[in-house]
Amino acid sequence: MTIKVVRGNPTPEELAAALAVVRARAAAAATEPPGAPTPRDSWSDPSRIAAHSLPQPGPTAWARTYWPG
């Protein structure tokens, strides 16, 4: 793995800190079992939308035709 600084002039301490983070992330990704489900974002969870009741039909239903959020 090659890491190249393309902008700035980091101190040896800053470079060591950045490399420690990169190596820790790489080690964490390597220990994950293959095929492990990735966490889903809450905005894409269908139960978030299904939890709300839809507007009931009636004389003012046209004013409530937005998607509940």
mmCIF file of all heavy atoms in Angstrom, residues 40 42-56 66-69:
data_model
loop_
_atom_site.group_PDB
_atom_site.id
_atom_site.type_symbol
_atom_site.label_atom_id
_atom_site.label_comp_id
_atom_site.label_asym_id
_atom_site.label_seq_id
_atom_site.Cartn_x
_atom_site.Cartn_y
_atom_site.Cartn_z
ATOM 1 N N ARG A 40 -27.733 -0.358 7.565
ATOM 2 C CA ARG A 40 -28.531 0.487 6.677
ATOM 3 C C ARG A 40 -28.737 1.851 7.304
ATOM 4 O O ARG A 40 -28.817 1.990 8.518
ATOM 5 C CB ARG A 40 -29.887 -0.161 6.433
ATOM 6 C CG ARG A 40 -29.771 -1.419 5.624
ATOM 7 C CD ARG A 40 -31.076 -2.124 5.493
ATOM 8 N NE ARG A 40 -32.118 -1.228 5.023
ATOM 9 C CZ ARG A 40 -33.294 -1.635 4.617
ATOM 10 N NH1 ARG A 40 -33.590 -2.905 4.615
ATOM 11 N NH2 ARG A 40 -34.210 -0.781 4.216
ATOM 12 N N SER A 42 -30.899 5.012 8.386
ATOM 13 C CA SER A 42 -32.272 5.048 8.882
ATOM 14 C C SER A 42 -33.238 5.650 7.856
ATOM 15 O O SER A 42 -34.407 5.300 7.839
ATOM 16 C CB SER A 42 -32.341 5.834 10.184
ATOM 17 O OG SER A 42 -31.917 7.161 9.986
ATOM 18 N N TRP A 43 -32.770 6.518 6.990
ATOM 19 C CA TRP A 43 -33.691 7.123 6.026
ATOM 20 C C TRP A 43 -34.168 6.119 4.992
ATOM 21 O O TRP A 43 -35.216 6.308 4.380
ATOM 22 C CB TRP A 43 -33.054 8.328 5.339
ATOM 23 C CG TRP A 43 -31.903 7.974 4.446
ATOM 24 C CD1 TRP A 43 -30.600 7.947 4.779
ATOM 25 C CD2 TRP A 43 -31.967 7.576 3.068
ATOM 26 N NE1 TRP A 43 -29.844 7.556 3.716
ATOM 27 C CE2 TRP A 43 -30.648 7.332 2.640
ATOM 28 C CE3 TRP A 43 -33.002 7.420 2.153
ATOM 29 C CZ2 TRP A 43 -30.359 6.921 1.352
ATOM 30 C CZ3 TRP A 43 -32.699 7.015 0.871
ATOM 31 C CH2 TRP A 43 -31.383 6.776 0.485
ATOM 32 N N SER A 44 -33.441 5.035 4.768
ATOM 33 C CA SER A 44 -33.857 4.050 3.781
ATOM 34 C C SER A 44 -34.632 2.896 4.410
ATOM 35 O O SER A 44 -34.980 1.948 3.714
ATOM 36 C CB SER A 44 -32.638 3.508 3.040
ATOM 37 O OG SER A 44 -31.802 2.800 3.935
ATOM 38 N N ASP A 45 -34.911 2.961 5.703
ATOM 39 C CA ASP A 45 -35.634 1.898 6.386
ATOM 40 C C ASP A 45 -37.124 2.010 6.073
ATOM 41 O O ASP A 45 -37.752 3.017 6.389
ATOM 42 C CB ASP A 45 -35.390 2.017 7.888
ATOM 43 C CG ASP A 45 -35.991 0.869 8.672
ATOM 44 O OD1 ASP A 45 -36.435 -0.111 8.040
ATOM 45 O OD2 ASP A 45 -36.008 0.958 9.904
ATOM 46 N N PRO A 46 -37.735 0.981 5.436
ATOM 47 C CA PRO A 46 -39.149 1.072 5.081
ATOM 48 C C PRO A 46 -40.070 1.173 6.294
ATOM 49 O O PRO A 46 -41.159 1.726 6.191
ATOM 50 C CB PRO A 46 -39.433 -0.213 4.309
ATOM 51 C CG PRO A 46 -38.167 -0.937 4.181
ATOM 52 C CD PRO A 46 -37.120 -0.237 4.962
ATOM 53 N N SER A 47 -39.661 0.674 7.454
ATOM 54 C CA SER A 47 -40.532 0.761 8.623
ATOM 55 C C SER A 47 -40.703 2.206 9.083
ATOM 56 O O SER A 47 -41.676 2.521 9.771
ATOM 57 C CB SER A 47 -39.982 -0.088 9.752
ATOM 58 O OG SER A 47 -38.754 0.431 10.217
ATOM 59 N N ARG A 48 -39.782 3.072 8.706
ATOM 60 C CA ARG A 48 -39.916 4.487 9.063
ATOM 61 C C ARG A 48 -41.149 5.081 8.413
ATOM 62 O O ARG A 48 -41.890 5.848 9.020
ATOM 63 C CB ARG A 48 -38.668 5.261 8.628
ATOM 64 C CG ARG A 48 -38.727 6.749 8.941
ATOM 65 C CD ARG A 48 -37.504 7.453 8.403
ATOM 66 N NE ARG A 48 -37.416 7.410 6.966
ATOM 67 C CZ ARG A 48 -37.968 8.298 6.149
ATOM 68 N NH1 ARG A 48 -38.659 9.296 6.641
ATOM 69 N NH2 ARG A 48 -37.841 8.198 4.849
ATOM 70 N N ILE A 49 -41.417 4.699 7.167
ATOM 71 C CA ILE A 49 -42.570 5.219 6.435
ATOM 72 C C ILE A 49 -43.837 4.484 6.855
ATOM 73 O O ILE A 49 -44.894 5.077 7.009
ATOM 74 C CB ILE A 49 -42.337 5.097 4.918
ATOM 75 C CG1 ILE A 49 -41.148 5.964 4.527
ATOM 76 C CG2 ILE A 49 -43.574 5.491 4.139
ATOM 77 C CD1 ILE A 49 -40.663 5.736 3.133
ATOM 78 N N ALA A 50 -43.751 3.178 7.048
ATOM 79 C CA ALA A 50 -44.927 2.387 7.381
ATOM 80 C C ALA A 50 -45.446 2.691 8.780
ATOM 81 O O ALA A 50 -46.585 2.352 9.096
ATOM 82 C CB ALA A 50 -44.593 0.907 7.252
ATOM 83 N N ALA A 51 -44.655 3.301 9.606
ATOM 84 C CA ALA A 51 -45.097 3.600 10.966
ATOM 85 C C ALA A 51 -46.185 4.667 10.996
ATOM 86 O O ALA A 51 -46.942 4.759 11.958
ATOM 87 C CB ALA A 51 -43.902 4.043 11.807
ATOM 88 N N HIS A 52 -46.275 5.480 9.964
ATOM 89 C CA HIS A 52 -47.267 6.552 9.917
ATOM 90 C C HIS A 52 -48.530 6.047 9.231
ATOM 91 O O HIS A 52 -48.474 5.261 8.285
ATOM 92 C CB HIS A 52 -46.725 7.753 9.137
ATOM 93 C CG HIS A 52 -45.449 8.284 9.701
ATOM 94 N ND1 HIS A 52 -45.383 8.976 10.884
ATOM 95 C CD2 HIS A 52 -44.179 8.206 9.253
ATOM 96 C CE1 HIS A 52 -44.137 9.307 11.135
ATOM 97 N NE2 HIS A 52 -43.375 8.848 10.157
ATOM 98 N N SER A 53 -49.662 6.507 9.705
ATOM 99 C CA SER A 53 -50.911 6.133 9.039
ATOM 100 C C SER A 53 -51.146 7.067 7.859
ATOM 101 O O SER A 53 -50.799 8.246 7.886
ATOM 102 C CB SER A 53 -52.076 6.200 10.021
ATOM 103 O OG SER A 53 -52.233 7.519 10.500
ATOM 104 N N LEU A 54 -51.740 6.517 6.830
ATOM 105 C CA LEU A 54 -52.042 7.309 5.644
ATOM 106 C C LEU A 54 -53.297 8.137 5.882
ATOM 107 O O LEU A 54 -54.159 7.747 6.669
ATOM 108 C CB LEU A 54 -52.222 6.392 4.441
ATOM 109 C CG LEU A 54 -50.974 5.614 4.033
ATOM 110 C CD1 LEU A 54 -51.314 4.633 2.912
ATOM 111 C CD2 LEU A 54 -49.888 6.560 3.587
ATOM 112 N N PRO A 55 -53.456 9.269 5.201
ATOM 113 C CA PRO A 55 -54.655 10.090 5.372
ATOM 114 C C PRO A 55 -55.902 9.307 4.950
ATOM 115 O O PRO A 55 -55.878 8.556 3.985
ATOM 116 C CB PRO A 55 -54.424 11.287 4.461
ATOM 117 C CG PRO A 55 -53.004 11.243 4.074
ATOM 118 C CD PRO A 55 -52.504 9.864 4.288
ATOM 119 N N GLN A 56 -56.980 9.495 5.690
ATOM 120 C CA GLN A 56 -58.238 8.842 5.372
ATOM 121 C C GLN A 56 -59.003 9.686 4.359
ATOM 122 O O GLN A 56 -58.904 10.906 4.343
ATOM 123 C CB GLN A 56 -59.076 8.671 6.641
ATOM 124 C CG GLN A 56 -58.409 7.787 7.679
ATOM 125 C CD GLN A 56 -58.184 6.372 7.155
ATOM 126 O OE1 GLN A 56 -59.066 5.798 6.543
ATOM 127 N NE2 GLN A 56 -56.994 5.842 7.377
ATOM 128 N N TYR A 66 -49.947 14.639 0.506
ATOM 129 C CA TYR A 66 -48.485 14.577 0.560
ATOM 130 C C TYR A 66 -48.068 13.263 1.172
ATOM 131 O O TYR A 66 -48.847 12.578 1.824
ATOM 132 C CB TYR A 66 -47.931 15.752 1.364
ATOM 133 C CG TYR A 66 -48.324 15.702 2.824
ATOM 134 C CD1 TYR A 66 -47.528 15.069 3.749
ATOM 135 C CD2 TYR A 66 -49.501 16.288 3.261
ATOM 136 C CE1 TYR A 66 -47.877 14.996 5.075
ATOM 137 C CE2 TYR A 66 -49.870 16.214 4.585
ATOM 138 C CZ TYR A 66 -49.057 15.565 5.485
ATOM 139 O OH TYR A 66 -49.416 15.494 6.796
ATOM 140 N N TRP A 67 -46.809 12.901 0.987
ATOM 141 C CA TRP A 67 -46.271 11.677 1.594
ATOM 142 C C TRP A 67 -45.938 11.985 3.042
ATOM 143 O O TRP A 67 -45.161 12.895 3.322
ATOM 144 C CB TRP A 67 -45.014 11.233 0.837
ATOM 145 C CG TRP A 67 -44.527 9.900 1.270
ATOM 146 C CD1 TRP A 67 -43.510 9.651 2.121
ATOM 147 C CD2 TRP A 67 -45.049 8.639 0.910
ATOM 148 N NE1 TRP A 67 -43.370 8.313 2.307
ATOM 149 C CE2 TRP A 67 -44.284 7.662 1.557
ATOM 150 C CE3 TRP A 67 -46.094 8.224 0.071
ATOM 151 C CZ2 TRP A 67 -44.530 6.308 1.427
ATOM 152 C CZ3 TRP A 67 -46.323 6.865 -0.057
ATOM 153 C CH2 TRP A 67 -45.550 5.925 0.613
ATOM 154 N N PRO A 68 -46.511 11.245 3.995
ATOM 155 C CA PRO A 68 -46.233 11.573 5.403
ATOM 156 C C PRO A 68 -44.768 11.382 5.741
ATOM 157 O O PRO A 68 -44.154 10.418 5.310
ATOM 158 C CB PRO A 68 -47.114 10.588 6.176
ATOM 159 C CG PRO A 68 -47.420 9.510 5.217
ATOM 160 C CD PRO A 68 -47.326 10.083 3.833
ATOM 161 N N GLY A 69 -44.218 12.278 6.454
ATOM 162 C CA GLY A 69 -42.812 12.162 6.747
ATOM 163 C C GLY A 69 -42.526 12.508 8.118
ATOM 164 O O GLY A 69 -41.661 12.398 8.806
#
